[in-house]
Amino acid sequence: MPRPCLSCVSCFDACKTFFVRWAEAEYTLLFVAPSDEKDTPGLSQEQVVVEFNNSFARKQHTSNSHIDEIWSSKLQANPRMFSGPKFRLAGCRWETSPSCQGRLVFQLSITEYKDLVGTNMLPQEEFAALQAAGKEDYADRWAYFSNALGCDVLLETSDGCFIFLERSAACSDFPKHYQGPSGHPEPHHITGLGLAKKFESASELQTGLSKLSGTNAADFAKSIADELFASALDETMEELVIPGETLSRPRLLGVMMDPRGKPDALFYIKTSLTSSKVREAYLAAKRIGKGETWESNCIVSPSSLSE
């Protein structure tokens, strides 16, 4: 494992107070970005690569027949929800070679949001049984889980504050908890994959996976790596409704997983706007229902991550 950047480690520890999935439970750090000569936080886009392969897909289990029932129940409680393709994280590893200082490799396939709800969000007893089955059948407790990869953003303003949003009741999980702009890198953004934003039938995921059965999956790796970073910018612009030209290029601080196996890539972005300007833009957009401001109730901007 590389030597972690101290600024990245402190960001992770401080964000535990704010970020929704880790506010009330322990989380696992799958990767923390190493430091460079300047101790710059995080990895650049050029230091992240993707292995995209069908072998990283979720394994099928006999209990899968219950996923549709669970999903139907969730839809009744939250009609805003819809299922669509997501990237499944099977693992990540750090590589070094004489030709490069180091790079992070994401091992990805395709899953869907419905499967995330129907596996990672199972009641505890069923969740533990599915973990045990995966460990016995594949020596991998997450083999039968969706593990859809999300993204979270630590946004720092020009006056040294950090932006967090209180999740609204319209979100599928953890309402009234705080986190930064967040979401998922989207497979439907990848030209050539042919995946729709919304899945209308149960067969669409398998149709998508069947397209990856050949060697062509590797052809999408660069575009997917770019999408990981683009998603951090997209979510920041959509949830705060601030211009993209005010945002720096994202830096990857690390990858973490909650006890339910939900992994997220954490990015650092700096904005040229002050915290008051960000708040002003967010509130103006929220008054008219612009962007994705419906996903949050309010905005806070502490000047210290330890507040």
Side-chain angles (χ1 to χ4, degrees):
M1 233 356 226
R3 181 173 69 88
C5 170
L6 293 180
S7 60
C8 294
V9 173
S10 62
C11 283
F12 270 119
D13 288 342
C15 283
K16 185 177 181 180
T17 307
F18 287 95
F19 279 7
V20 55
R21 278 179 291 277
W22 301 276
E24 297 177 341
E26 288 302 313
Y27 58 91
T28 301
L29 299 183
L30 303 180
F31 173 80
V32 178
S35 59
D36 60 15
E37 294 178 356
K38 299 180 181 179
D39 211 28
T40 305
L43 302 180
S44 69
Q45 191 166 335
E46 293 72 26
Q47 292 174 280
V48 174
V49 297
V50 165
E51 290 179 353
F52 189 51
N53 196 292
N54 244 357
S55 65
F56 302 136
R58 182 179 71 86
K59 308 301 183 186
Q60 298 298 305
H61 189 263
T62 54
S63 65
N64 286 171
S65 59
H66 299 305
I67 291 178
D68 285 336
E69 298 174 18
I70 296 169
W71 179 248
S72 295
S73 175
K74 290 288 185 179
L75 280 181
Q76 290 179 5
N78 187 354
R80 277 186 178 267
M81 291 174 60
F82 65 89
S83 191
K86 302 299 176 190
F87 291 111
R88 181 182 190 268
L89 180 67
C92 58
R93 68 177 186 275
W94 179 253
E95 291 185 343
T96 57
S97 70
S99 61
C100 70
Q101 293 182 336
R103 65 181 191 174
L104 181 63
V105 181
F106 281 85
Q107 296 174 315
L108 301 177
S109 185
I110 299 293
T111 185
E112 67 171 303
Y113 192 73
K114 179 176 72 172
D115 286 0
L116 175 70
V117 172
T119 59
N120 294 80
M121 299 182 188
L122 282 170
Q124 183 56 43
E125 186 175 345
E126 297 171 48
F127 177 85
L130 199 58
Q131 277 193 316
K135 190 172 183 180
E136 180 177 349
D137 297 341
Y138 294 97
D140 176 8
R141 61 177 175 156
W142 302 115
Y144 293 120
F145 290 84
S146 171
N147 289 16
L149 177 65
C151 68
D152 282 294
V153 175
L154 179 64
L155 181 68
E156 184 176 9
T157 62
S158 62
D159 54 339
C161 295
F162 298 90
I163 301 299
F164 295 92
L165 299 166
E166 184 189 68
R167 292 168 66 86
S168 74
C171 294
S172 61
D173 56 3
F174 298 102
K176 296 189 177 181
H177 286 71
Y178 287 90
Q179 69 179 142
S182 63
H184 297 84
E186 301 291 357
H188 74 269
H189 288 165
I190 308 302
T191 302
L193 275 183
L195 295 171
K197 180 179 180 179
K198 297 182 180 182
F199 282 168
E200 303 296 340
S201 70
S203 63
E204 288 185 80
L205 174 60
Q206 294 307 315
T207 300
L209 287 172
S210 68
K211 295 179 181 179
L212 308 181
S213 58
T215 57
N216 65 320
D219 298 339
F220 302 113
K222 176 63 168 61
S223 296
I224 295 171
D226 292 344
E227 170 62 16
L228 298 182
F229 283 77
S231 67
L233 288 172
D234 289 344
E235 296 297 343
T236 302
M237 291 185 288
E238 290 168 2
E239 294 188 16
L240 295 172
V241 195
I242 56 177
E245 58 266 25
T246 68
L247 302 175
S248 69
R249 294 184 68 189
R251 305 277 300 186
L252 179 68
L253 294 176
V255 184
M256 46 200 175
M257 175 183 279
D258 73 11
R260 287 287 175 152
K262 177 72 174 70
D264 286 83
L266 175 61
F267 294 91
Y268 170 81
I269 296 177
K270 184 75 178 280
T271 176
S272 59
L273 299 176
T274 63
S275 56
S276 61
K277 287 295 184 183
V278 173
R279 179 186 295 271
E280 181 181 311
Y282 167 82
L283 292 176
K286 191 165 183 60
R287 280 194 291 269
I288 60 175
K290 190 176 180 181
E292 294 183 352
T293 54
W294 59 268
E295 293 185 356
S296 57
N297 294 324
C298 62
I299 185 173
V300 296
S301 52
S303 58
S304 168
L305 285 174
S306 60
E307 287 185 12

